[in-house]
Amino acid sequence: VKKMQLPFSPNFKFSEFLSKATEVREWNIQGLPSDSFSVENGLLVKRGNRFPLMIDPQGQANKWIQAMEGDDTLKVLDMGMDNYIRTVESAIQFGLPVLIQDVGEELDPALEPILRLTRMGEDKRTSIRMGDKELSYSPSFTLYMTTKYANPHYRPEVSIKTTVVNFAVKERGLEDQLLGIVVRMEQPKLEEDKDQLVVAVAGKQKRLVELEDEILSLLKNAGPDLLDDEVLIEALQNSKQTSEEVKEDLKITQQTEEKIDLAREGYRPSARRASICYFVLSDLGRVDPMYQFSLDAYTSLFRVSIEQSRRNGAAGDGGGGAGGGAGASGGTGGG
């Protein structure tokens, strides 16, 4: 891009471009990990044109989908269940979300008509043929699929018909997740302030967009002589003043956010050690299956180790209790 001298944003982030901060925050509350890798995966699940097939050995995507869609409407199925296709057919007609978990490397041929559909209202069809049945089709229907295989081998046509998303936790992603746990336990006010800043920044950015839309609307409906339109001129002056105030507030808010992020970074060595320890212990499962354990069990041990670690005398030392927690976490996991 630089060589061709094409215009670009130097600080471009895929996750920020396709999402709103408040939306991502809501996903995090529902159980989606807050690291950038998981957020990008969440965007692929929500924005993709094909129904998602999620590689989910740690079960993080499964929990997030169930919390996001809610137990009242979501139909959680397994391909081994009797007549699960009937439940899918019912969901298609009533526009309900369906989660098929523990999918293998071969997808059920009965799902073929569904996998040909597109999402986001792009498919204008009103009916779908499932076997010998003609069903009415609701565009609000959504299908999610998850597999516990860490490295499944799907045929190329599966990648064409679905959006394959890899939710398997990575070292950097787990480090960010554990960092959030450490900071929330050691300095809960830092995390609360960060959450409040996310809401504040999103609200101010939304206000800026509303002002721009208002100005465009006024210009579109203005008469031939713009200078004689007093309503337009007054609105432009007010919008300009408000816009400057919002931009100034936004600048101060972003500076505050940078200070909070800098303070959180003091706990990163603890999170990094705990993340490395998890993957070392995870590899022991290759030696003998008896060493296998879940990510939930590890994070629980990590929390317990932080709570039980002895705080040193320097209360102002940011990494004291957290560092001890990481070490204790590793020792407990090894045992």
Side-chain angles (χ1 to χ4, degrees):
V1 174
K2 291 181 179 178
K3 185 178 180 181
M4 299 299 295
Q5 297 184 350
L6 299 174
F8 69 98
S9 300
N11 298 320
F12 174 80
K13 290 184 179 179
F14 168 75
S15 56
E16 293 178 359
F17 179 72
L18 288 179
S19 67
K20 296 179 181 178
T22 50
E23 183 181 28
V24 172
R25 180 174 174 270
E26 186 66 25
W27 293 348
N28 297 150
I29 292 172
Q30 291 164 345
L32 181 71
S34 56
D35 60 281
S36 58
F37 180 76
S38 298
V39 172
E40 290 175 3
N41 282 341
L43 285 169
L44 292 174
V45 170
K46 296 296 291 182
R47 302 283 192 267
N49 290 334
R50 298 288 178 180
F51 295 122
L53 171 56
M54 292 163 275
I55 301 170
D56 188 31
Q58 285 86 24
Q60 293 182 326
N62 199 305
K63 291 180 181 177
W64 171 53
I65 295 298
Q66 294 192 40
M68 177 177 62
E69 295 292 352
D71 296 332
D72 296 335
T73 58
L74 180 67
K75 305 297 181 184
V76 181
L77 306 174
D78 191 302
M79 284 191 173
M81 296 172 61
D82 293 335
N83 299 322
Y84 85 95
I85 285 295
R86 290 186 181 179
T87 306
V88 176
E89 291 173 351
S90 175
I92 289 173
Q93 296 177 79
F94 293 100
L96 300 177
V98 173
L99 170 62
I100 301 178
Q101 54 188 6
D102 299 338
V103 173
E105 293 186 340
E106 295 290 334
L107 299 184
D108 191 338
L111 297 174
E112 185 71 22
I114 303 174
L115 299 181
R116 292 200 192 106
L117 300 173
T118 55
R119 300 169 66 199
M120 313 301 289
E122 294 181 6
D123 207 310
K124 304 301 182 183
R125 71 178 69 194
T126 57
S127 63
I128 179 176
R129 177 171 289 279
M130 294 283 291
D132 57 352
K133 299 178 183 177
E134 189 77 21
L135 305 175
S136 60
Y137 172 69
S138 172
S140 58
F141 166 77
T142 302
L143 174 66
Y144 303 100
M145 294 172 286
T146 62
T147 178
K148 287 187 176 180
Y149 289 116
N151 188 26
H153 298 281
Y154 289 113
R155 291 180 297 177
E157 52 266 31
V158 173
S159 299
I160 296 173
K161 297 170 186 174
T162 64
T163 300
V164 180
V165 187
N166 187 3
F167 268 89
V169 67
K170 305 295 181 185
E171 186 173 316
R172 176 69 186 196
L174 181 58
E175 180 182 318
D176 290 341
Q177 293 178 39
L178 296 176
L179 175 62
I181 292 174
V182 175
V183 176
R184 197 169 292 278
M185 295 183 70
E186 295 285 319
Q187 296 284 346
K189 192 175 185 306
L190 273 181
E191 287 296 288
E192 291 172 7
D193 290 346
K194 186 170 178 64
D195 289 344
Q196 291 173 2
L197 277 175
V198 168
V199 176
V201 169
K204 288 169 183 177
Q205 289 176 337
K206 180 180 178 183
R207 179 58 181 155
L208 278 177
V209 173
E210 289 174 349
L211 288 172
E212 292 172 358
D213 292 342
E214 181 183 355
I215 292 172
L216 290 174
S217 177
L218 288 170
L219 290 172
K220 180 181 178 181
N221 299 322
D225 194 347
L226 299 178
L227 297 178
D228 291 338
D229 194 332
E230 296 180 0
V231 176
L232 174 62
I233 293 175
E234 184 179 355
L236 286 172
Q237 290 175 344
N238 292 336
S239 296
K240 181 181 179 182
Q241 182 180 354
T242 307
S243 176
E244 289 175 352
E245 292 174 357
V246 170
K247 286 181 179 178
E248 188 63 31
D249 290 343
L250 195 58
K251 187 183 297 183
I252 295 173
T253 303
Q254 289 174 340
Q255 290 174 352
T256 307
E257 184 176 12
E258 289 174 1
K259 291 179 182 178
I260 292 175
D261 288 339
L262 186 61
R264 292 175 81 248
E265 286 299 307
Y267 295 92
R268 186 168 290 280
S270 170
R272 184 178 298 115
R273 290 195 297 271
S275 175
I276 294 171
C277 183
Y278 169 78
F279 285 99
V280 170
L281 295 175
S282 181
D283 286 342
L284 289 177
R286 300 179 183 179
V287 178
D288 193 298
M290 67 173 288
Y291 292 114
Q292 292 181 356
F293 59 94
S294 69
L295 179 61
D296 287 343
Y298 184 81
T299 53
S300 295
L301 286 173
F302 185 61
R303 292 175 188 273
V304 170
S305 68
I306 294 175
E307 292 172 356
Q308 294 181 347
S309 63
R310 181 180 298 173
R311 296 179 181 275
N312 57 24
D317 186 2
S329 162
T332 308

